[in-house]
Each structure stands twice: as structure tokens, then as C-alpha cells.
Amino acid sequence: MSQSAASIDPAEIARFSALAAEWWNPQGKFRPLHKFNPVRLGFIRDRICAHFGRDGLSDNPLKGLRLLDIGCGGGLVSEPMARLGAQVVGADAGERNIGIASLHAAEAGVTVDYRCTSAEELAAAGEQFDVVLALEVVEHVADLDGFLAACGQMVKPGGLLIAATLNRTPKSFALGIVAAEYILGWVPRGTHDWKKFLKPHELAGCLRRAGLSLSDVAGVSYSPLSDRWSIGRDTDVNYMLVAVK
């Protein structure tokens, strides 16, 4: 894969590639993602089913839909989306991440088309998808507008883009940086740069420039008492955003 795509930040790729072997360890470096995953998967499934008129309780509610998981990492979302019936392309700029994701999918008997590539390269190749997922990735790219323009180009007319990221607030600095990285050790120090966090209206503006219209914003909150994540209205730290083309 060419590393010339403007949105790729080599330092970010190196940081996550160094942790590649940890992706599928629920007690390892990505434990927070494993705890977070059921909530975001439910949100994604429900929004896709509602938009495309699918029954979320059926065996393969996403059958017939082509889905891109850009910045897929080790495949923690790609695999479940494939299990729901979607034709999934999982793309990541880190070769080690793609290697781990491919191996896990093969062992699990799940079909996912994993590729070591960038959003720009996929868009240039004319790829088109019913749904594009950009989860916990926009805060790591070097060229946000270029990345989202490529993502928007790949969404079919009437399709969806679903993003998940962190808000840039004092609360997100306290919880997403100080607590998560330095006190609780949920993620390695230096994983996030608070200055690259995006307020919902900033991300919505970028998506509008990419030809997409905001349709939903939801907060994702963690309760230390129950050790659980939940969807709600509090977008001060984590949030998910849905846009339509």
C-alpha cells in the first residue's frame, strides 16, 4: 500500500501496529474497546436497519448491504458486521493490523475482505458502499477533510456514514486523556491528542463539505459503578454521529 495518502499519519499507524497482537485480547491493551463494542455495535445495527427498513432481530439483517470499516484495526467491528450478513471490506493502513484481523476471521470462519490501504486509494479505485464506518479514526488522521471527502465519495446515494470519536471538552481531557491514559491505564499514554478531538458541530461541518447530511448524534457514556457503557444524550466525551448522502 502506498503511504502517500494525505490522511495517513505514520506515527499513528506505528503506534497501533505495535499493539496489533493485543486486538482480540479482552483483558489486554484494547480492553476498553471490548467493553465499548457491544454498545456501538447495537447502535450501528439499529441505525442501519432503521434507515434501510430491515428487521434487526432477523438472522441476517444486513444481507445485501456492502459495508466499509475504514481504520478497522484488528476487526472488532468488521467481523460482527459480517456475521449480521453485510458484505464487509475492512481497511487499515497498518499491515500488522490487517494480518491479525485476517487471521482471526479465518479462524472464526467469517468472511471479511481485509485490505491494507487508505480511504483515498479506495475512493480513487471507484469503490462504493451502502454504509461507511469511521470509528475511533477521525481523531487520528492527518488530513481530516481529505479523509472524509474520500469517505463521502464512497457512500452510495441514499447510503450512510457512521462515525465515532471523542469531543474536545474539559471533561474529555479529564476522562479521555488524564484518567484513561495516566490514571486507569486503559490505553497507552500518548494514544490520543486532545487537540485533534472534534466537537460534534465541527465533525458535522466536515461531513457537509463531503456531501453528507447529519441525521443523528448520540453520546456514549461510561458508568464506573456498573462498569458499563450506554447510549444517551451526553456527548461531552464519546459520541457517535450518523450522516446520510
Side-chain angles (χ1 to χ4, degrees):
M1 183 206 72
S2 168
Q3 290 293 319
S4 62
S7 68
I8 292 176
D9 185 332
E12 296 283 6
I13 300 305
R15 180 177 297 114
F16 285 96
S17 293
L19 300 171
E22 294 278 342
W23 277 109
W24 287 95
N25 178 4
Q27 302 304 321
K29 301 288 187 182
F30 293 103
R31 181 177 181 272
L33 273 183
H34 284 271
K35 300 288 290 186
F36 181 38
N37 220 25
V39 168
R40 66 175 178 173
L41 289 173
F43 178 90
I44 293 165
R45 179 202 61 213
D46 291 349
R47 295 308 184 275
I48 294 174
C49 287
H51 182 74
F52 290 100
R54 304 298 182 88
D55 178 3
L57 299 179
S58 66
D59 289 339
N60 295 289
L62 306 188
K63 186 176 181 179
L65 296 178
R66 193 161 191 251
L67 181 148
L68 171 65
D69 182 10
I70 188 72
C72 66
L76 297 185
V77 171
S78 295
E79 271 195 35
M81 292 294 106
R83 290 182 187 277
L84 290 173
Q87 180 187 348
V88 178
V89 173
D92 198 280
E95 290 185 11
R96 290 191 65 196
N97 290 337
I98 290 299
I100 291 292
S102 299
L103 178 62
H104 193 276
E107 291 175 344
V110 179
T111 301
V112 178
D113 179 3
Y114 283 116
R115 307 181 194 179
C116 185
T117 187
S118 67
E120 290 92 336
E121 289 175 343
L122 287 168
E127 293 282 0
Q128 290 281 282
F129 300 91
D130 299 288
V131 181
V132 172
L133 304 180
L135 310 176
E136 283 75 50
V137 64
V138 296
E139 69 271 22
H140 297 291
V141 300
D143 176 5
L144 181 61
D145 278 316
F147 171 78
L148 291 176
C151 289
Q153 183 179 328
M154 290 187 284
V155 179
K156 294 179 182 178
L160 295 179
L161 183 145
I162 301 177
T165 190
L166 291 117
N167 201 344
R168 192 178 66 257
T169 63
K171 187 175 177 181
S172 73
F173 182 81
L175 298 180
I177 302 291
V178 177
E181 296 188 12
Y182 291 87
I183 298 176
L184 300 174
W186 278 0
V187 292
R189 295 182 180 186
T191 296
H192 293 110
D193 179 351
W194 183 79
K195 294 187 295 295
K196 294 177 75 173
F197 289 2
L198 293 163
K199 293 180 179 294
H201 77 269
E202 294 172 341
L203 182 53
C206 291
L207 290 170
R208 279 194 296 274
R209 292 192 291 275
L212 299 154
S213 300
L214 180 67
S215 68
D216 191 15
V217 179
V220 189
S221 302
Y222 174 73
S223 169
L225 295 178
S226 64
D227 190 27
R228 290 181 180 177
W229 292 85
S230 62
I231 299 290
R233 296 183 178 181
D234 183 358
T235 61
D236 285 350
V237 183
N238 295 82
Y239 67 94
M240 299 185 74
L241 181 153
V242 182
V244 182
K245 186 171 183 179

